Amino acid sequence: AQSVTQLGSHVSVSEGALVLLRCNYSSSVPPYLFWYVQYPNQGLQLLLKYTSAATLVKGINGFEAEFKKSETSFHLTKPSAHMSDAAEYFCAVSEEGWADNTGKLIFGQGTTLQVKP
Amino acid sequence: KAGVTQTPRYLIKTRGQQVTLSCSPISGHRSVSWYQQTPGQGLQFLFEYFSETQRNKGNFPGRFSGRQFSNSRSEMNVSTLELGDSALYLCASSLGPGQGYNEQFFGPGTRLTVL
């Protein structure tokens, strides 16, 4: 069964500092992995996705993530935080294309990123 | 291209009532998935529809149901509302099967409050 664990429900960084949001997954088949961002009172916006091509994935707004199969991890990073990055971030896994898992994303519990001036 | 739209954006109901939420997918998208978001349980998959057929269902009681129309628009219904049904309900659309991975695009959600 698929599952996603995000380590740390709240992360606080100073503006300009490195952002590191952690995500570990469990999947019995090769997964697709995603990071979404949610701003208050809005839906989810896709930051980046891993779909079995390059293990280092670059996304929007300067974010990137690296798929590490040996560690079952897909951590999100950004070299320099900006005030506008303050939001909630969700890691998700999909086994799209496999029976019983179509159209279904499994989400982690989310990490709230606070950026201090 | 217009994004995923959901109506209404906010809804207040009382226990025991029923509610219908609507989702219009991105033009050309034929698959619609629904999710419930609560502070306690996070984001949970409700169900997915493609070509007017439910393809997958999450672990929710039968009070939660949905349907999809021939134009791919989808509705979900919750009957006999309970306080715990208060949540943000998110709809996501994608192209559908046979397209490799189907990226899901999310709408802004419907905020349901049950009093």
Side-chain angles (χ1 to χ4, degrees), chain A residues 30-33 49-57 65-67 74:
Chain A
Y32 297 119
L33 294 160
K49 60 182 182 285
Y50 167 77
T51 57
S52 75
T55 57
L56 182 61
V57 180
E66 186 173 8
F67 172 69
F74 190 58

Side-chain angles (χ1 to χ4, degrees), chain B residues 72-87:
Chain B
S72 296
R73 191 177 68 84
S74 177
E75 289 181 346
M76 68 162 282
N77 183 276
V78 188
S79 62
T80 319
L81 284 166
E82 300 176 0
L83 295 178
D85 297 333
S86 295

Side-chain angles (χ1 to χ4, degrees), chain B residues 86-101:
Chain B
S86 295
L88 181 67
Y89 290 88
L90 292 164
C91 162
S93 78
S94 61
L95 288 169
Q99 309 282 340
Y101 167 68

Side-chain angles (χ1 to χ4, degrees), chain A residues 34 38 46 100 102-103 105, chain B residues 33 35 37 56 101-104:
Chain A
F34 313 89
Q38 185 177 36
L46 181 67
D100 300 328
T102 56
L105 289 169
Chain B
S33 296
Y35 297 84
Q37 185 177 22
N56 201 352
Y101 167 68
N102 286 286
E103 181 175 334
Q104 295 191 23

Side-chain angles (χ1 to χ4, degrees), chain B residues 49 59 74 85 97 100 113:
Chain B
Y49 287 87
N59 188 26
S74 177
D85 297 333
T113 301

Side-chain angles (χ1 to χ4, degrees), chain A residues 16-30:
Chain A
L18 171 72
V19 175
L20 171 60
L21 304 182
R22 300 178 186 273
C23 172
N24 287 88
Y25 70 91
S26 171
S27 175
S28 56
V29 299

